Amino acid sequence: MSATPVRVRFAPSPTGMFHVGGARSALYNWAVARQSGGTFVLRIEDTDAARNKPEWIDGIISALAAIGIDDSDPAFEGPYFQSHNADRHRAAGLRLLAAGHAYYCDCTREQLAERTGNAQLGYDGFCRDRGLAYEAGRALRFRTPDEGSTVVVDLIRGEPSFPNAAIEDFVIARGDGSPVFLIANVVDDLDEGVTMVIRGEEHLSNTPKQQLLWQALGAEPPVWAHLPVIVNEKRQKLSKRRDKVALEDYLAEGYLPDAMVNYLMLLGWGPGEDREIRPYAELEQLFRIEDVNGSSAFFDVKKLASFNGEYIRALAPADFAAACAPWLTAPAATWAPEAFDQAVFDGVAPLAQTRITVLSEITAYVDFLFLDQPVRDDAAWAKAMKAGAPDILRDARAGLAEAPWRADDLKAVLEAVSEKNGLKLGKAQAPIRVAVTGRTVGLPLFESLEALGRDRVLARIDAALDRLAAEQ
């Protein structure tokens, strides 16, 4: 890398939720900026007025902050807004016109199709030498070189070469004079001193055009690095119309920011060792943009959940309890607010911490403690309440009514019940678990019974026996 301080930029458009692919790009830019003592520039490309919304801008800034990128760090600069620079974009187009690098064109698509006989062909350069002056409706086109090739030096993809003859004279300002994305993007990068552009590979096809614009404006193009596309399990590019792609959705479901950061950093790159679970500070120091793989990266939700589970289990107990808080109150919680008992939750939280993979699962694990009656899950009931279930429930009730109310003693009761009924302990537990919690899976049964209390446990077993009798 150059001795000149590195300036990278992240330039999202505020047209929707924050895409996990954008988050990956931002993290790679952030890592390069911080490890080199450089600058990360946030630019909001908000020129699509019809689709932009202020809440999307706020969402970008808050999502970046959630993954550790914000203005509390001196490496952060911005946000800048592309819409504020329209005069600079127009002025650059006029400079290119004056220097002979651009010309006005009044051709319509229909005229082009009539001349070429193919509506799919690119522009044929018809207006190149007509010397048209500006009039409303005439677009400004960049004059691409007729010969040679434009070579893009890319840290990930080598040096792809694009024959100039295959690059049409592309529009840089519309018929109403408004600049298009290509020139706006280049001018903003120039004004903001960007030295390296790290972005998704979908922009690679634009790169030779932008590089030609940089050169025509008398500037040295930046270093390029085009990141691999992120795909789903069918190896299709992640799409917001088909896949869950919003970072906010994952965070709202209970994925920890640190786990998201760790996982996203490894989408296309790895530290070269077996250990993948690492704090961002380590990943940042190990990261090298040159080592990013050019092949598509699979967004494996199961692997992400596994990462998240590791991070959840690593939390201090108090931090885990605090992280669960949003799912222990309305609207996530299904119990009345006054029914929640923090001390009871704190008692079972360590048991849940070893079992859940996303924080939102905590609600279903503990709801039996705070509801008047357990949830009614007919599938769980049918699975557990088979022949012999009434005998197990009656025997268990008799033992539980007299036993000391400690998990080990309650286990001894169920062991005796299972032996009496000729069952393994796991089989004997099933009717008790469903009667008391409403579910077939959950926290360890004996600790659950202890937390719920004798009176409530016996009442729920009685209710289950009544239901079984009514179903006969």
Side-chain angles (χ1 to χ4, degrees):
M1 294 185 184
S2 169
T4 304
V6 173
R7 289 179 63 84
V8 297
R9 50 80 163 171
F10 179 59
S13 299
T15 56
M17 302 281 276
F18 193 63
H19 196 291
V20 291
R24 193 269 306 263
S25 296
L27 286 166
Y28 283 7
N29 276 280
W30 186 244
V32 167
R34 281 177 44 90
Q35 70 185 201
S36 64
T39 302
F40 172 102
V41 176
L42 173 61
R43 180 172 73 236
I44 306 296
E45 297 197 330
D46 59 341
T47 53
D48 188 348
R51 298 176 61 206
N52 296 338
K53 294 182 180 179
E55 56 265 34
W56 299 137
I57 297 174
D58 295 339
I60 290 169
I61 294 171
S62 62
L64 286 173
I67 57 173
I69 303 174
D70 61 33
D71 59 8
S72 66
D73 192 300
F76 186 95
E77 184 175 306
Y80 299 121
F81 293 88
Q82 191 168 74
S83 61
H84 296 175
N85 303 328
D87 289 344
R88 297 277 300 162
H89 305 154
R90 282 189 285 268
L94 295 177
R95 281 169 52 201
L96 293 172
L97 176 67
H101 293 302
Y103 59 90
Y104 284 109
C105 170
D106 62 1
C107 295
T108 65
R109 291 183 182 274
E110 291 74 20
Q111 290 170 336
L112 177 61
E114 185 177 343
R115 286 198 302 271
T116 63
N118 188 338
Q120 306 304 315
L121 289 178
Y123 183 66
D124 60 358
F126 180 79
C127 291
R128 266 190 168 200
D129 300 312
R130 292 176 65 199
L132 297 176
Y134 173 72
E135 286 185 11
R138 290 179 178 176
L140 185 63
R141 289 185 179 271
F142 182 79
R143 184 190 296 265
T144 60
D146 295 319
E147 301 177 350
S149 298
T150 297
V151 177
V152 173
V153 179
D154 192 296
L155 295 176
I156 298 172
R157 303 180 184 280
E159 297 186 3
S161 180
F162 300 83
N164 290 329
I167 305 174
E168 68 175 359
D169 289 356
F170 52 91
V171 172
I172 57 176
R174 304 175 184 87
D176 61 1
S178 62
V180 302
F181 165 78
L182 284 172
I183 193 167
N185 189 269
V186 168
V187 171
D188 287 349
D189 282 349
L190 276 165
D191 287 350
E192 292 156 13
V194 172
T195 62
M196 182 185 296
V197 173
I198 303 169
R199 60 186 181 180
E201 70 171 294
E202 64 270 19
H203 296 288
L204 182 59
S205 60
N206 287 329
T207 304
K209 298 177 182 179
Q210 292 176 314
Q211 187 160 300
L212 288 170
L213 287 171
W214 275 78
Q215 293 166 339
L217 290 168
E220 184 72 20
V223 177
W224 306 98
H226 287 89
L227 306 175
V229 67
I230 300 176
V231 298
N232 63 17
E233 70 280 357
K234 295 181 179 179
R235 296 306 187 267
Q236 301 167 317
K237 181 180 176 182
L238 282 188
S239 166
K240 63 183 179 182
R241 295 179 179 85
R242 179 183 57 240
D243 307 300
K244 187 169 76 171
V245 300
L247 177 67
E248 297 97 323
D249 286 344
Y250 284 99
L251 297 178
E253 191 177 336
Y255 286 86
L256 295 171
D258 287 347
M260 290 296 305
V261 167
N262 190 161
Y263 183 70
L264 290 171
M265 285 291 293
L266 302 182
L267 283 179
W269 170 82
E273 303 174 19
D274 291 338
R275 185 164 66 92
E276 292 185 308
I277 304 295
R278 294 174 180 268
Y280 174 75
E282 283 187 22
L283 293 170
E284 180 185 284
Q285 291 305 309
L286 293 168
F287 181 73
R288 294 293 178 268
I289 190 67
E290 298 90 340
D291 295 337
V292 172
N293 192 320
S295 301
S296 60
F298 170 39
F299 192 89
D300 186 343
V301 178
K302 291 182 180 178
K303 186 172 183 179
L304 170 60
S306 176
F307 271 49
N308 201 59
E310 292 282 346
Y311 273 85
I312 286 175
R313 289 186 285 278
L315 290 173
D319 292 336
F320 172 72
C324 289
W327 291 275
L328 302 175
T329 57
T334 53
W335 52 81
E338 62 274 12
F340 181 73
D341 186 321
Q342 186 68 51
V344 170
F345 173 76
D346 290 344
V348 301
L351 303 173
Q353 187 172 358
T354 62
R355 287 166 169 76
I356 67 174
T357 55
V358 292
L359 293 173
S360 57
E361 293 172 348
I362 192 64
T363 311
Y365 269 89
V366 302
D367 60 0
F368 74 97
L369 293 166
F370 310 119
L371 292 169
D372 290 338
Q373 300 296 330
V375 295
R376 178 163 179 148
D377 183 333
D378 290 337
W381 179 268
K383 183 177 180 181
M385 300 301 180
K386 296 180 179 178
D391 292 336
I392 294 171
L393 290 170
R394 280 190 289 267
D395 291 343
R397 191 197 190 288
L400 293 173
E402 302 296 333
W405 206 255
R406 295 185 299 269
D408 289 344
D409 296 299
L410 303 179
K411 180 180 180 182
V413 169
L414 266 294
E415 286 174 338
V417 169
S418 64
E419 184 177 352
K420 177 182 178 183
N421 288 272
L423 298 171
K424 292 183 178 180
L425 181 59
K427 292 288 187 182
Q429 287 186 60
I432 308 301
R433 179 181 291 280
V434 171
V436 172
T437 72
R439 306 180 191 277
T440 55
V441 296
L443 303 180
L445 178 59
F446 311 111
E447 287 80 356
S448 296
L449 299 178
E450 181 179 351
L452 188 60
R454 189 192 310 271
D455 291 345
R456 297 177 75 194
V457 168
L458 297 180
R460 291 184 182 190
I461 292 175
D462 289 340
L465 286 167
D466 289 344
R467 180 178 171 184
L468 285 171
E471 290 176 348
Q472 290 179 350

